Amino acid sequence: MNSYAATRDRSDALAAAVAAHPSRYRVLTGERPTGPLHLGHYFGTISERVRLHNLGVDTFVILADYQVITDRDGIGPVRDNVYNAVLDYLAAGIDPDRATIFTHSAVPALNQLMLPFLSLVTEAELHRNPTVKAEHAAAGRALSGLMLTYPVHQAADILFCKGNLVPVGKDNLPHIELTRVIARRFNERYGHTFPEPRPLLTATPEIPGLDGRKMSKSYGNAIALSSTADQTAALIRRTRTDAHRTITFDPEHRPGISALLTTAALCTGIDEQTLATDIGSAGAGALKKFTADAVNDYFAAHRRRRADLARDPEFVCTVLRAGNESANEIANRTLDEVRAAMGTTY
């Protein structure tokens, strides 16, 4: 059995254990607040964390504002991005009374864990990380120190709260493995302090943007969760398609048509091939209308809840303050344990 198949089997067994005893698990998940959350975030991660949260898994959601500046010249409108993300979390079903929603920059003890953790990894291990390699290739220039140490920062995110469950896609498995390595090396060197978190592989669908490329704010091909029905319809109408009237699902040769079919499939639960057959020769206009209606119907309740929450901006502030306070209490306790284990208490 290959290594990924073995990982998949272990993940399936873990999923069954989580379903049977959710209170034994603590999950750490979150985003870099670089802009509005969109359909890719929702179907890729948010819906899964809501499912685990509703099962009764102890849920920590981080807005990694420090990681916005990993390889950028500035941090942008990060405060607005954080507040808008919290609105989407709450509208999606995260209960702030049963979850901890917090920001990197508000938890000093979490970030201080990077110092001992960095002593446990080599430069070569950091350079081998797929995210670091991809960012290096995309940047075409030397990495910032923060970008190079990004995997260790993620380990601190997970381990500060003793997270033992991390939902990830296949591409993020190396991040969890490095976190496990750091936890194991710390425990071996200083005494058992951290759990070795286990990856829960999610069936994350490939979610293309409206032009067929990866859904991204920077490409302008993403439907934001905060979009209105009219904005959604207008964005979908502008999607570039082709001159062939008959609708077929062919991501390689018909990226615009295929992206619309995938978007509609996610929102209706009907697969792309069936949708293509149903729409047939009605053309791209009919497909665009069907897709816009599907998205707007699916997210109507989310948007109503979001609008209701947005009427009270102070509520989001209250949620963040409470989450930051809770995260600080936990991080300070963990850092005290680390100091005691290392013998650096004075």
Side-chain angles (χ1 to χ4, degrees), residues 153-170:
H153 211 171
Q154 283 199 320
D157 296 341
I158 297 165
L159 295 177
F160 97 94
C161 65
K162 308 287 183 77
N164 59 0
L165 178 70
V166 187
V168 291
K170 179 180 178 181

Side-chain angles (χ1 to χ4, degrees), residues 209-243:
L210 293 175
D211 57 2
R213 295 182 292 176
K214 179 182 178 180
M215 186 171 285
S216 170
K217 297 175 288 291
S218 61
Y219 292 155
N221 64 0
I223 301 172
L225 297 178
S226 56
S227 295
T228 66
D230 287 344
Q231 288 169 337
T232 298
L235 182 61
I236 289 173
R237 279 197 302 271
R238 293 196 299 270
T239 300
R240 188 173 181 177
T241 53
D242 54 50

Side-chain angles (χ1 to χ4, degrees), residues 101-312:
I101 303 172
F102 67 103
T103 57
H104 252 164
S105 59
V107 189
L110 181 163
N111 296 290
Q112 191 170 336
L113 288 174
M114 282 191 68
L115 291 173
F117 287 178
L118 281 168
S119 74
L120 301 170
V121 297
T122 67
E123 182 182 357
E125 286 173 320
L126 295 175
H127 279 291
R128 283 199 299 269
N129 182 271
T131 299
V132 172
K133 289 167 67 175
E135 288 289 335
H136 194 191
R141 55 189 171 89
L143 293 173
S144 70
L146 186 58
M147 184 67 244
L148 181 62
T149 57
Y150 174 74
V152 181
H153 211 171
Q154 283 199 320
D157 296 341
I158 297 165
L159 295 177
F160 97 94
C161 65
K162 308 287 183 77
N164 59 0
L165 178 70
V166 187
V168 291
K170 179 180 178 181
D171 292 344
N172 287 317
L173 282 171
H175 284 285
I176 308 309
E177 184 52 37
L178 185 61
T179 300
R180 290 172 57 83
V181 166
I182 288 171
R184 184 162 57 250
R185 288 175 182 170
F186 188 94
N187 294 341
E188 289 170 352
R189 184 173 296 184
Y190 300 112
H192 186 80
T193 306
F194 296 106
E196 293 184 30
R198 299 169 66 188
L200 181 66
L201 282 169
T202 58
T204 304
E206 289 293 329
I207 305 165
L210 293 175
D211 57 2
R213 295 182 292 176
K214 179 182 178 180
M215 186 171 285
S216 170
K217 297 175 288 291
S218 61
Y219 292 155
N221 64 0
I223 301 172
L225 297 178
S226 56
S227 295
T228 66
D230 287 344
Q231 288 169 337
T232 298
L235 182 61
I236 289 173
R237 279 197 302 271
R238 293 196 299 270
T239 300
R240 188 173 181 177
T241 53
D242 54 50
H244 300 290
R245 186 162 184 81
T246 300
I247 301 302
T248 58
F249 183 62
D250 184 352
E252 182 178 356
H253 298 104
R254 307 188 73 186
I257 291 291
S258 299
L260 289 169
L261 287 167
T262 296
T263 301
L266 287 167
C267 293
T268 62
I270 304 170
D271 68 87
E272 291 97 337
Q273 298 287 2
T274 300
L275 289 175
T277 300
D278 289 346
I279 295 171
S281 61
L287 173 59
K288 290 178 179 181
K289 183 180 186 309
F290 181 87
T291 302
D293 289 344
V295 173
N296 286 333
D297 288 347
Y298 188 94
F299 286 101
H302 179 100
R303 288 165 171 167
R304 283 195 299 271
R305 289 191 294 269
R306 194 184 195 283
D308 288 342
L309 290 163
R311 291 190 184 97
D312 182 9

Side-chain angles (χ1 to χ4, degrees), residues 79-93:
R79 190 174 188 274
D80 288 344
N81 293 339
V82 165
Y83 278 63
N84 279 299
V86 174
L87 284 174
D88 281 317
Y89 294 152
L90 301 179

